[in-house]
Structure formats: C-alpha cells, structure tokens
Coordinates of all heavy atoms in Angstrom, one line a residue:
A1 N 1.0 -1.9 5.1 CA 1.8 -2.5 6.2 C 0.9 -2.6 7.4 O 0.7 -1.6 8.0 CB 3.1 -1.8 6.4
T2 N 0.6 -3.8 7.8 CA -0.2 -4.0 9.0 C 0.6 -4.2 10.3 O 0.1 -4.0 11.4 CB -1.1 -5.2 8.9 OG1 -0.3 -6.4 8.8 CG2 -2.0 -5.1 7.6
G3 N 1.9 -4.6 10.1 CA 2.7 -4.9 11.2 C 2.8 -6.3 11.5 O 3.6 -6.8 12.3
M4 N 1.9 -7.1 10.9 CA 1.9 -8.6 11.0 C 2.5 -9.2 9.8 O 1.9 -9.1 8.7 CB 0.5 -9.1 11.3 CG 0.0 -8.7 12.6 SD -1.5 -9.6 13.1 CE -0.9 -11.2 13.4
Y5 N 3.6 -10.0 9.9 CA 4.3 -10.5 8.8 C 3.5 -11.4 8.0 O 3.5 -11.4 6.7 CB 5.6 -11.2 9.3 CG 6.4 -11.8 8.2 CD1 7.3 -11.0 7.5 CD2 6.3 -13.1 7.8 CE1 8.1 -11.5 6.5 CE2 7.1 -13.6 6.8 CZ 8.0 -12.8 6.1 OH 8.7 -13.3 5.1
E6 N 2.6 -12.3 8.6 CA 1.8 -13.2 7.9 C 0.8 -12.6 7.0 O 0.4 -13.1 6.0 CB 1.2 -14.2 8.8 CG 0.2 -13.6 9.8 CD -0.4 -14.6 10.7 OE1 -1.1 -15.5 10.2 OE2 -0.3 -14.5 11.9
Y7 N 0.3 -11.4 7.4 CA -0.6 -10.6 6.6 C 0.1 -9.9 5.4 O -0.3 -9.9 4.3 CB -1.4 -9.6 7.4 CG -2.5 -10.2 8.3 CD1 -3.1 -9.5 9.2 CD2 -2.8 -11.6 8.2 CE1 -4.1 -10.0 10.0 CE2 -3.8 -12.1 9.0 CZ -4.4 -11.4 9.9 OH -5.4 -11.9 10.7
D8 N 1.2 -9.2 5.8 CA 1.9 -8.4 4.8 C 2.6 -9.2 3.8 O 3.0 -8.6 2.8 CB 3.0 -7.5 5.6 CG 2.3 -6.5 6.5 OD1 1.1 -6.2 6.3 OD2 3.0 -6.0 7.4
S9 N 2.8 -10.5 4.0 CA 3.5 -11.3 3.0 C 2.5 -12.2 2.2 O 3.0 -13.0 1.4 CB 4.5 -12.2 3.7 OG 3.9 -13.0 4.6
T10 N 1.2 -12.2 2.5 CA 0.3 -13.1 1.8 C -1.0 -12.6 1.3 O -1.7 -13.3 0.6 CB -0.1 -14.3 2.8 OG1 -0.7 -13.7 4.0 CG2 1.2 -15.1 3.3
I11 N -1.3 -11.3 1.6 CA -2.6 -10.7 1.2 C -2.5 -9.7 0.1 O -1.5 -8.9 0.1 CB -3.3 -10.2 2.5 CG1 -3.6 -11.3 3.4 CG2 -4.6 -9.5 2.1 CD1 -4.3 -10.8 4.7
G12 N -3.4 -9.7 -0.8 CA -3.6 -8.6 -1.8 C -5.0 -8.2 -1.9 O -5.9 -9.0 -1.8
F13 N -5.3 -6.9 -2.1 CA -6.6 -6.4 -2.3 C -6.9 -5.9 -3.7 O -6.0 -5.2 -4.3 CB -6.9 -5.2 -1.3 CG -6.9 -5.6 0.1 CD1 -5.8 -5.6 0.9 CD2 -8.1 -6.0 0.7 CE1 -5.9 -6.0 2.3 CE2 -8.2 -6.4 2.1 CZ -7.1 -6.4 2.8
V14 N -8.0 -6.4 -4.2 CA -8.4 -5.9 -5.6 C -9.9 -5.5 -5.4 O -10.5 -5.7 -4.4 CB -8.3 -7.0 -6.6 CG1 -6.8 -7.4 -6.8 CG2 -9.1 -8.2 -6.3
N15 N -10.5 -4.9 -6.5 CA -11.9 -4.5 -6.4 C -12.7 -5.7 -6.7 O -12.2 -6.8 -7.1 CB -12.2 -3.4 -7.4 CG -11.8 -3.7 -8.8 OD1 -11.9 -4.8 -9.3 ND2 -11.4 -2.7 -9.6
L16 N -14.0 -5.6 -6.5 CA -14.9 -6.8 -6.6 C -15.0 -7.3 -8.0 O -15.0 -8.6 -8.2 CB -16.3 -6.3 -6.2 CG -16.5 -6.0 -4.7 CD1 -17.9 -5.5 -4.5 CD2 -16.2 -7.3 -3.9
E17 N -14.9 -6.5 -9.1 CA -15.0 -7.0 -10.4 C -13.8 -7.9 -10.8 O -14.0 -8.9 -11.4 CB -15.0 -5.8 -11.4 CG -16.3 -5.0 -11.4 CD -16.5 -4.1 -10.1 OE1 -15.5 -3.9 -9.5 OE2 -17.6 -3.8 -9.8
T18 N -12.6 -7.4 -10.4 CA -11.4 -8.3 -10.6 C -11.5 -9.6 -9.9 O -11.1 -10.6 -10.4 CB -10.1 -7.5 -10.2 OG1 -10.1 -6.2 -10.9 CG2 -8.9 -8.3 -10.6
A19 N -12.0 -9.5 -8.6 CA -12.1 -10.7 -7.8 C -13.1 -11.7 -8.4 O -12.9 -12.9 -8.4 CB -12.5 -10.3 -6.4
R20 N -14.2 -11.2 -8.9 CA -15.2 -12.0 -9.6 C -14.6 -12.8 -10.7 O -14.9 -14.0 -11.0 CB -16.4 -11.2 -10.0 CG -17.3 -10.7 -8.9 CD -18.6 -10.1 -9.4 NE -19.4 -9.6 -8.3 CZ -19.5 -8.3 -8.0 NH1 -18.8 -7.4 -8.7 NH2 -20.2 -7.9 -7.0
L21 N -13.8 -12.1 -11.6 CA -13.2 -12.8 -12.7 C -12.2 -13.9 -12.3 O -12.2 -15.0 -12.9 CB -12.4 -11.8 -13.5 CG -13.3 -10.7 -14.3 CD1 -12.4 -9.7 -15.0 CD2 -14.2 -11.4 -15.3
L22 N -11.5 -13.7 -11.2 CA -10.5 -14.7 -10.7 C -11.2 -15.8 -10.1 O -10.8 -17.0 -10.3 CB -9.6 -14.0 -9.7 CG -8.5 -13.1 -10.3 CD1 -7.8 -12.3 -9.2 CD2 -7.5 -13.8 -11.2
V23 N -12.2 -15.6 -9.2 CA -12.9 -16.6 -8.5 C -14.0 -17.3 -9.3 O -14.3 -18.5 -9.1 CB -13.5 -16.1 -7.2 CG1 -14.2 -17.1 -6.4 CG2 -12.4 -15.4 -6.3
G24 N -14.5 -16.6 -10.3 CA -15.6 -17.2 -11.1 C -17.0 -17.0 -10.6 O -17.8 -17.9 -10.7
I25 N -17.3 -15.8 -10.1 CA -18.6 -15.5 -9.6 C -19.3 -14.6 -10.6 O -18.7 -13.6 -11.1 CB -18.5 -14.7 -8.2 CG1 -17.9 -15.7 -7.2 CG2 -19.9 -14.3 -7.8 CD1 -17.7 -15.0 -5.8
D26 N -20.5 -14.9 -11.0 CA -21.2 -14.2 -12.0 C -22.0 -13.0 -11.4 O -22.2 -12.9 -10.2 CB -22.2 -15.1 -12.7 CG -21.5 -16.3 -13.4 OD1 -20.3 -16.0 -13.8 OD2 -22.0 -17.4 -13.5
D27 N -22.4 -12.1 -12.3 CA -23.3 -11.0 -12.0 C -22.7 -10.1 -10.8 O -21.5 -9.8 -10.8 CB -24.7 -11.5 -11.7 CG -25.3 -12.2 -12.8 OD1 -25.0 -11.8 -14.0 OD2 -26.1 -13.2 -12.6
K28 N -23.6 -9.9 -9.8 CA -23.2 -9.0 -8.7 C -23.0 -9.8 -7.4 O -23.0 -9.2 -6.3 CB -24.3 -7.9 -8.5 CG -24.5 -7.0 -9.7 CD -23.3 -6.1 -9.9 CE -23.5 -5.1 -11.1 NZ -22.3 -4.3 -11.3
G29 N -22.9 -11.1 -7.5 CA -22.7 -11.9 -6.3 C -21.4 -11.7 -5.6 O -20.4 -11.3 -6.2
V30 N -21.4 -12.0 -4.3 CA -20.2 -12.0 -3.5 C -20.2 -13.3 -2.6 O -21.3 -14.0 -2.5 CB -20.1 -10.8 -2.6 CG1 -20.0 -9.5 -3.5 CG2 -21.3 -10.6 -1.7
Q31 N -19.1 -13.5 -1.9 CA -19.1 -14.7 -1.0 C -19.6 -14.4 0.4 O -20.1 -15.2 1.1 CB -17.6 -15.2 -1.0 CG -17.1 -15.8 -2.3 CD -15.7 -16.2 -2.2 OE1 -15.0 -15.7 -1.3 NE2 -15.3 -17.2 -3.0
S32 N -19.3 -13.1 0.8 CA -19.7 -12.8 2.2 C -19.8 -11.3 2.4 O -19.5 -10.5 1.5 CB -18.6 -13.4 3.2 OG -17.3 -12.8 2.8
L33 N -20.3 -11.0 3.6 CA -20.4 -9.6 4.0 C -19.5 -9.4 5.3 O -19.5 -10.3 6.2 CB -21.8 -9.2 4.3 CG -22.8 -8.9 3.2 CD1 -24.1 -8.5 3.7 CD2 -22.2 -7.9 2.2
E34 N -18.8 -8.3 5.3 CA -18.0 -8.0 6.5 C -18.7 -6.9 7.3 O -19.1 -5.9 6.7 CB -16.6 -7.6 6.1 CG -15.8 -8.7 5.5 CD -14.4 -8.3 5.1 OE1 -14.2 -7.4 4.3 OE2 -13.4 -9.0 5.7
L35 N -18.8 -7.0 8.6 CA -19.5 -6.1 9.4 C -18.6 -5.4 10.4 O -17.7 -6.0 11.0 CB -20.7 -6.8 10.2 CG -21.6 -7.7 9.4 CD1 -22.7 -8.2 10.3 CD2 -22.2 -7.0 8.2
R36 N -18.9 -4.2 10.7 CA -18.3 -3.4 11.8 C -19.3 -3.2 12.9 O -20.4 -2.7 12.6 CB -17.7 -2.1 11.3 CG -16.9 -1.3 12.4 CD -16.4 0.0 11.9 NE -15.6 0.6 12.9 CZ -14.3 0.4 13.1 NH1 -13.7 -0.5 12.4 NH2 -13.7 1.1 14.1
V37 N -19.0 -3.5 14.1 CA -19.9 -3.3 15.2 C -19.5 -2.1 16.1 O -18.4 -1.7 16.1 CB -20.1 -4.6 16.1 CG1 -20.5 -5.8 15.2 CG2 -18.7 -4.9 16.8

C-alpha cells in the first residue's frame, strides 16, 4: 500500500524471470535500470 490509489490499483511486482516470460525478453536482458542517488 503506497497511499496513492492509482498505484495501489494498477501495479503488480514479479521477479525478473516471470517478467521476461510475459514480455518476451530472452536470456538475461532487461528493459531498463533504476537508480538511487
């Protein structure tokens, strides 16, 4: 629960392997990197 309705009603988190199967990405590839500064 983030406290923001649009996030709590539309987002789901899975691990990378499950996401690759759904999106259709092969091997160890990803779409992006997220950074913390």
Side-chain angles (χ1 to χ4, degrees):
T2 65
M4 294 193 67
Y5 182 81
E6 61 178 303
Y7 286 172
D8 294 341
S9 61
T10 59
I11 295 180
F13 290 92
V14 296
N15 58 34
L16 291 176
E17 289 73 20
T18 305
R20 288 191 183 101
L21 291 175
L22 287 171
V23 179
I25 298 177
D26 299 328
D27 299 327
K28 298 295 183 179
V30 297
Q31 292 176 337
S32 60
L33 286 182
E34 295 182 299
L35 313 181
R36 182 180 185 85
V37 302

